[in-house]
Amino acid sequence: MPPISSPDGSQSRARPANSSADGPAASPGGPPRPRSEAEPSDPSVAEQATRDLAAQFEDEKPGRVLSGPAGLLLTVAALVVGALALWQVFRPLSQGSKYYLIIFLAGVLPLVFLAYPSDLRLPARLRARRPRADRAEATGSDSDGRVPAPASTRPTVTDWALSALAVAACLYPVLPIRIGSGGGGYNAFLDRQGLLAATDLVLGTLLLLLLLEACRRATGWILPAVCLLFLGYGYYGGLLPQSWPVAHAGLDFSQLVDAFYNSDSGFYGTPLDVAASYIVLFTIYGAVLELSGAGRFFVELSAAAFRRSRTAAGRTAVASGFLLGTVSGSGAATTVSIGAVTWPLLRRAGYPPERAGGMLAAAGVGAILSPPTLGAAAFIIAEYLGVSYLQVLGWATVPTVLYYLGILLAVEIDARRSGVRPVVIDVGSPWRLLARFGYHFASLIAIIVFLAIGVSATRAVVFAIVLAVVLSYLDRAHRLTPGRLVTALVTGVRGVLAVTAVCAAAGIITATTTKTGLGPQAAALLIGGAQAATSDPTLVLVLTALLAAVALSLLGLAVPVTASFVIGWVIVGPALLDLGVTAPAAAMFVFYFAVLSEVSPPTALAAVAAAAVTGGRLVPTMWQTLRYALPAYLTPIAFVITPAGLGLLGIGGVQRIAFAAGVTALSVAVLAVAAGGWLPGVGPAGVPERVLGALAGVTLLWLEPVPVTLGAALAAIAAAGVIVRRRSAGRPSSNPVEEKL
């Protein structure tokens, strides 16, 4: 990667050890890698290389970069879909929202088959007969044995055929022509709800299969398998012994297809509505900000703010993750973006690749938690609970601050425990950067202001897009000319392809759950498991919350965050609600554990992205990520086990909010010390002090007077033990070397 250019044109003399074109870097201290001719040689190319690498980690599987006729078709289709999404905000289609969802899915689903390769392995006998280029796509290697980027592949005949079938299956409900006993237009299709014609059944089944294949291409096998599991439960559940809690009367296949294809809880339910109405607009907004130079400004501002501190490199990574997270909403992509710039600083400071990767991944995942652009599941929360998006942002604010507080404390502890070298980052004054490029914050603030005065979230983000485009002309290098606007629109729509497939497929889960009554039955099982251990109502709630946390963490290992939240809400949500937990607390509990699955081994996608940037070993990077984010795993428990926990969501008045935030911040700090083994300003903590600290941190999360007092006492005892240990051991000499970048 070339020298890093700050927004004002200055350059720092740091260069990452790797670029997206050349793969992972050599290990720190190794021989420098010679620049190849293909390596980017100017900042604009470097930014594009970073975006390309980030795109490979947006979802479970990377997509293609299309060119030629396929690329032109994707560009045109994406422009049409983006224009329709923007038009729908101010001039909704007269036929209603479901009609719009049908058109939106018809525009997006075919593009999934063009943008994502099938990655199916053919038998060697058949593979040998295929053309050389197709064999490279199927095997993942070229004639020289190297592994090319998945982006270099072209759509196959099968991909084009599936795209055509997707168009037909999606548009069938609105086609004004008779097809056998079906068809006849949108109103006729709705009139057949509950009594599908044969053509309806065939096309509905076809769309079901296409959505499963689209999810497999974009996210892997697990989510389609989960959908098939729910489908099998809906079809065969009537054969279960009726004495079983999860048994139901049974549904035939036509009833299931009707629920998926011609109801408001299936393919065209709330998840797809959120993707088509909110997520696509926010991804376009994120692309506009990125192309206007906001992303690089946020990173450079973070570096400038901490340029002379002892832990400048680590603080820069954490602050960059928070600032980029306000516009990204993608954990893995944010990880790559901040890693491309801050990894050279971390390496010079003495961080091993695995530890640096863990820090980058933990900071990047916070993007899904950071207002005002939360992850897709946050919009689903607003729709499910019937509240404004501004309320969801309010619920997320304090937990987000606590999340980054935990990471920042872990960074400070690591710097002192590991003898990290101070790094002076020569990027100029932060005030100068703010004066010149602080306008990038304007559109973010505008979203909050518009929401506060009652403007809908969709209109607020469109107004923010317009403002960001206008302000981009203050920077000649990043002006959003018509050509760059087209790029932003296409990039934004492409960013929602996989999410749309996941949201539509989530209709299989929600419709099956609604039809069979699985939600209340699963909730009864979960509560029954807790009641088998104790009869105390408070302990039942605690055990149910712990069981739910484990279940959500395991579920998140297998499916994307959005699908994990949908499944968790229909299964775990009713259990928490039945025990008296308020709807906001239950929803945010499910949301946070769905998000934290991105840092949980062995499928931590953000850690995979970080390892690709730093060149570190994958599994150790995952464990380092888990260590940095560990305090955040326990914080959501406080949402649900006591009424005072609502203060963490900004509910209940100033006194409750201040009490909950202050005590939980202390809990996060104590847990960070216990995990890191170092008390800042004092010295190393031994095993007894760390155990006491862990107990204190967990006890403090029970936001009641007696547990808080006990937790504070345990924390004080642990701190006193560290002080005594420090005095008995003496002060070790430390003479770190200051290095300037």
Side-chain angles (χ1 to χ4, degrees):
M1 194 171 179
I4 302 170
S5 297
S6 62
D8 61 358
S10 62
Q11 291 183 345
S12 63
R13 293 183 293 279
R15 184 171 68 86
N18 71 304
S19 70
S20 61
D22 297 316
S27 59
R33 178 177 53 79
R35 180 184 293 275
S36 65
E37 295 180 1
E39 188 170 350
S41 57
D42 63 79
S44 61
V45 176
E47 291 176 4
Q48 182 61 47
T50 301
R51 286 194 292 269
D52 291 343
L53 181 61
Q56 296 187 26
F57 296 97
E58 284 283 356
D59 305 289
E60 294 289 341
K61 299 171 69 177
R64 299 178 173 115
V65 174
L66 299 175
S67 59
L72 179 61
L73 176 62
L74 185 140
T75 299
V76 173
L79 283 174
V80 172
V81 171
L84 177 62
L86 294 170
W87 178 268
Q88 176 73 7
V89 174
F90 300 97
R91 293 290 187 272
L93 299 180
S94 59
Q95 295 88 342
S97 61
K98 186 174 180 179
Y99 189 92
Y100 165 64
L101 296 181
I102 291 172
I103 302 298
F104 181 84
L105 187 61
V108 170
L109 185 59
L111 300 183
V112 175
F113 297 106
L114 300 181
Y116 291 89
S118 65
D119 286 342
L120 290 176
R121 306 289 183 178
L122 292 179
R125 176 175 56 83
L126 297 177
R127 191 164 61 241
R129 298 178 182 176
R130 297 179 66 186
R132 176 177 172 180
D134 290 345
R135 289 202 308 271
E137 176 181 351
T139 61
S141 62
D142 58 19
S143 58
D144 298 326
R146 295 173 291 142
V147 178
S152 64
T153 59
R154 299 188 303 272
T156 64
V157 174
T158 302
D159 297 332
W160 287 106
L162 291 176
S163 295
L165 289 174
V167 172
C170 291
L171 289 181
Y172 165 76
V174 300
L175 292 178
I177 57 175
R178 300 295 301 185
I179 304 175
S181 57
Y186 181 58
N187 292 330
F189 178 75
L190 294 181
D191 290 340
R192 293 193 297 273
Q193 184 174 357
L195 190 62
L196 295 184
T199 312
D200 301 334
L201 184 61
V202 171
L203 271 298
T205 303
L206 177 60
L207 183 56
L208 168 66
L209 297 175
L210 289 170
L211 284 173
L212 293 176
E213 169 61 10
C215 286
R216 186 198 66 79
R217 290 181 177 225
T219 67
W221 286 97
I222 303 298
L223 180 57
V226 172
C227 291
L228 288 174
L229 181 63
F230 274 82
L231 180 63
Y233 169 73
Y235 187 73
Y236 292 106
L239 302 179
L240 297 174
Q242 292 302 303
S243 59
W244 289 15
V246 294
H248 59 86
L251 299 169
D252 60 36
F253 190 71
S254 63
Q255 289 176 302
L256 289 170
V257 173
D258 178 74
F260 301 152
Y261 198 34
N262 201 355
S263 76
D264 294 333
S265 63
F267 301 146
Y268 306 110
T270 298
L272 182 61
D273 189 13
V274 166
S277 302
Y278 297 96
I279 301 173
V280 65
L281 297 177
F282 275 86
T283 55
I284 293 172
Y285 171 63
V288 166
L289 276 187
E290 176 66 24
L291 288 177
S292 69
R296 181 161 293 273
F297 161 69
F298 291 151
V299 175
E300 293 291 343
L301 180 63
S302 302
F306 304 114
R307 65 189 189 280
R308 295 190 181 277
S309 66
R310 175 185 176 88
T311 55
R315 290 181 182 179
T316 298
V318 176
S320 299
F322 172 73
L323 290 176
L324 284 179
T326 60
V327 299
S328 171
S330 170
T334 305
T335 299
V336 172
S337 298
I338 63 176
V341 178
T342 60
W343 162 233
L345 310 179
L346 296 170
R347 184 183 56 182
R348 294 292 183 91
Y351 283 93
E354 292 79 15
R355 184 175 299 166
M359 181 193 306
L360 294 172
V365 166
I368 314 177
L369 306 174
S370 301
T373 308
L374 301 175
F379 299 97
I380 300 179
I381 291 175
E383 291 295 312
Y384 278 169
L385 301 187
V387 299
S388 69
Y389 182 59
L390 182 62
Q391 283 187 270
V392 180
L393 294 183
W395 299 340
T397 300
V398 174
T400 300
V401 173
L402 293 174
Y403 176 82
Y404 279 103
L405 173 65
I407 300 175
L408 189 60
L409 289 173
V411 168
E412 299 293 329
I413 290 170
D414 273 357
R416 288 155 177 78
R417 182 180 183 183
S418 305
V420 171
R421 295 187 297 272
V423 175
V424 178
I425 307 173
D426 188 13
V427 292
S429 167
W431 302 112
R432 180 184 175 189
L433 283 173
L434 277 173
R436 176 65 181 87
F437 299 100
Y439 61 82
H440 286 300
F441 287 111
S443 62
L444 292 171
I445 298 173
I447 291 178
I448 304 298
V449 172
F450 284 131
L451 291 174
I453 63 177
V455 178
S456 66
T458 53
R459 293 197 175 196
V461 71
V462 173
F463 293 150
I465 291 172
V466 174
L467 180 60
V469 171
V470 172
L471 293 177
S472 71
Y473 280 82
L474 296 175
D475 181 7
R476 179 175 299 179
H478 294 92
R479 290 177 179 173
L480 290 175
T481 60
R484 291 170 64 83
L485 273 177
V486 169
T487 301
L489 197 61
V490 173
T491 301
V493 173
R494 170 145 187 169
V496 83
L497 295 184
V499 176
T500 300
V502 169
C503 288
I508 300 172
I509 298 167
T510 56
T512 302
T513 303
T514 302
K515 279 287 200 180
T516 61
L518 177 62
Q521 295 166 344
L525 284 176
L526 192 60
I527 296 172
Q531 289 175 337
T534 178
S535 59
D536 183 84
T538 302
L539 293 180
V540 168
L541 175 58
V542 173
L543 287 178
T544 301
L546 292 176
L547 290 174
V550 172
L552 289 168
S553 298
L554 293 176
L555 176 65
L557 298 179
V559 298
V561 172
T562 305
S564 179
F565 173 80
V566 172
I567 299 172
W569 180 247
V570 299
I571 301 298
V572 173
L576 296 176
L577 295 175
D578 288 346
L579 291 174
V581 177
T582 63
M588 297 304 288
F589 177 89
V590 176
F591 173 63
Y592 272 88
F593 276 106
V595 171
L596 291 174
S597 65
E598 285 221 352
V599 298
S600 302
T603 57
L605 188 59
V608 176
V613 173
T614 65
R617 294 170 297 165
L618 183 56
V619 174
T621 300
M622 289 183 177
W623 287 114
Q624 289 292 333
T625 304
L626 181 62
R627 183 175 66 85
Y628 276 104
L630 184 61
Y633 272 85
L634 299 176
T635 302
I637 300 291
F639 295 170
V640 299
I641 60 176
T642 62
L646 291 175
L648 294 174
L649 303 179
I651 301 173
V654 176
Q655 185 175 356
R656 175 189 277 183
I657 295 171
F659 171 76
V663 173
T664 309
L666 177 60
S667 172
V668 168
V670 174
L671 289 171
V673 171
W678 190 280
L679 181 62
V682 181
V687 173
E689 293 84 9
R690 297 176 72 175
V691 172
L692 279 176
L695 291 175
V698 173
T699 305
L700 286 168
L701 291 175
W702 198 303
L703 298 174
E704 296 292 342
V706 174
V708 168
T709 303
L710 178 60
L714 291 175
I717 294 172
V722 176
I723 294 173
V724 171
R725 181 184 299 273
R726 173 70 166 179
R727 290 178 177 175
S728 62
R731 180 179 296 274
S733 62
S734 176
N735 187 25
V737 179
E738 187 173 277
E739 190 169 337
K740 183 176 180 180
L741 294 185

